Amino acid sequence: MITRFALFQGRIRDGQDAAFREAILTEVLPEWQAFPGALSVRVNFAEFRDDGAPSIPMILAISYPDLDTVHAALASPARSRAKAATEAVLARFFDGHIHHHVTTAHDHDLTPA
């Protein structure tokens, strides 16, 4: 499985955490869920971090079966819609930048059988 992470490095404007989270979940998440071939979408909001760690208030993880599917999703109209929705929310609440990392995932389920 391939997972593409988007790390939102920066800060949410003062007093806007709850509004930011709500806007992401209602305005942007549906656009991310529309990416063709996506197996899962995980939105992670930061609760705390180690002393000295960079501020990353949100990490998005979208998983795909393979790299070809990632490339097709990134070339799709869904990506353009998702990018526009993301930028609209970020303009209201976020100061920083986003960087992406594509990884090969090796999941190990620890749930008792």
Side-chain angles (χ1 to χ4, degrees):
M1 177 170 42
I2 303 296
T3 302
R4 184 172 187 258
F5 290 92
L7 286 77
F8 291 69
Q9 188 169 352
R11 69 176 201 74
I12 307 304
R13 294 185 189 123
D14 291 340
Q16 296 296 308
D17 286 336
F20 170 74
R21 291 177 181 202
E22 179 67 19
I24 288 293
L25 295 175
T26 60
E27 298 173 37
V28 188
L29 177 58
E31 302 298 341
W32 290 329
Q33 291 171 317
F35 274 49
L39 300 173
S40 66
V41 177
R42 180 173 287 178
V43 179
N44 302 275
F45 296 113
E47 297 300 331
F48 60 89
R49 64 183 186 272
D50 291 343
D51 290 340
S55 175
I56 301 176
M58 189 178 86
I59 299 172
L60 169 67
I62 303 179
S63 294
Y64 300 90
D66 52 51
L67 282 172
D68 288 340
T69 306
V70 172
H71 294 303
L74 296 179
S76 75
R79 183 182 189 204
S80 298
R81 290 189 301 272
K83 188 173 181 179
T86 302
E87 289 173 353
V89 168
L90 296 184
R92 297 192 326 254
F93 302 109
F94 180 75
D95 296 312
H97 64 279
I98 305 168
H99 47 100
H100 296 87
H101 301 263
V102 177
T103 67
T104 299
H106 296 268
D107 289 339
H108 305 275
D109 188 2
L110 301 178
T111 306

